[in-house]
Amino acid sequence: RRRYLQWQTGGCIATATTTALSNPSAAQAANLKSRTEGYAVQHTEREWAYILSGAQYNILRKGGTERQKSSILNTYTTENVGSYVCAGCNTPLFTSADKFSSGTGWPSFSTALQGVEEEELDSIRATLDGKEVRCATCGGHLGDLFNDGWIYRGTSAAKMGKRYCID
């Protein structure tokens, strides 16, 4: 995903991004907050594996990413009006009114509801790598928040300056 963004922005992304891609364990180690502790909805990893499908478990609990253009969220049409909820706990996360096509192959939203929490990062890392976004109720990984909304002219993301890229 970040390589695609680098291509889209003419290579303006710093080398720190490619380092995080080539060494995902170092990128994960930088984010010290647990996906289980401190959230209202708690399950053991075995329970999560039973509750969620294999793909959902990989994304929500392990922080994985699905292949580009493979998300069921990309099947959105104007007739699908409502809220997108967490697969782990049914917390409302995004509204259909905030969804837009970024052309990246992953579902994109311009704003999030209160059910979404953003990783705390310094402004330089947030600009280069983006911030991880999680469900505020169960801690499930949702995707990344990028400060590239200005690229998507004519969308609400251009006004906000942010793009929630959801797995």
Side-chain angles (χ1 to χ4, degrees):
R1 181 180 326 174
R2 286 178 175 87
R3 287 184 187 176
Y4 177 83
L5 181 62
Q6 183 176 16
W7 174 78
Q8 286 290 90
T9 59
C12 296
I13 306 289
T15 55
T17 302
T18 55
T19 304
L21 279 174
S22 63
N23 189 359
S25 61
Q28 290 170 350
N31 184 8
L32 300 175
K33 187 171 179 187
S34 167
R35 280 196 180 90
T36 56
E37 296 174 17
Y39 292 98
V41 173
Q42 297 279 316
H43 293 291
T44 66
E45 288 305 309
R46 187 174 186 163
E47 290 170 333
W48 280 121
Y50 182 77
I51 293 168
L52 303 169
S53 72
Q56 290 171 333
Y57 180 79
N58 181 47
I59 292 168
L60 287 172
R61 306 315 307 165
K62 298 296 181 186
T65 300
E66 79 268 278
R67 288 178 302 132
Q68 187 177 15
K69 299 180 182 177
S70 67
S71 175
I72 192 168
L73 299 180
N74 282 332
T75 61
Y76 166 80
T77 65
T78 54
E79 291 145 16
N80 301 107
V81 177
S83 295
Y84 291 87
V85 299
C86 178
C89 65
N90 291 323
T91 297
L93 304 170
F94 301 96
T95 65
S96 57
D98 296 321
K99 189 172 187 306
F100 69 98
S101 176
S102 63
T104 61
W106 287 276
S108 295
F109 296 87
S110 58
T111 58
L113 298 176
Q114 289 181 341
V116 175
E117 76 174 14
E118 300 173 11
E119 177 183 28
E120 293 297 322
L121 284 180
D122 62 86
S123 60
I124 294 172
R125 272 195 56 213
T127 301
L128 296 176
D129 271 348
K131 296 179 177 182
E132 180 185 16
V133 290
R134 294 181 180 180
C135 174
T137 306
C138 70
H141 170 79
L142 303 173
D144 297 293
L145 173 61
F146 297 105
N147 293 324
D148 64 356
W150 56 271
I151 295 173
Y152 305 99
R153 293 193 175 129
T155 68
S156 54
K159 295 174 192 165
M160 304 303 290
K162 296 180 179 183
R163 175 177 58 97
Y164 291 84
C165 187
I166 303 305
D167 296 319

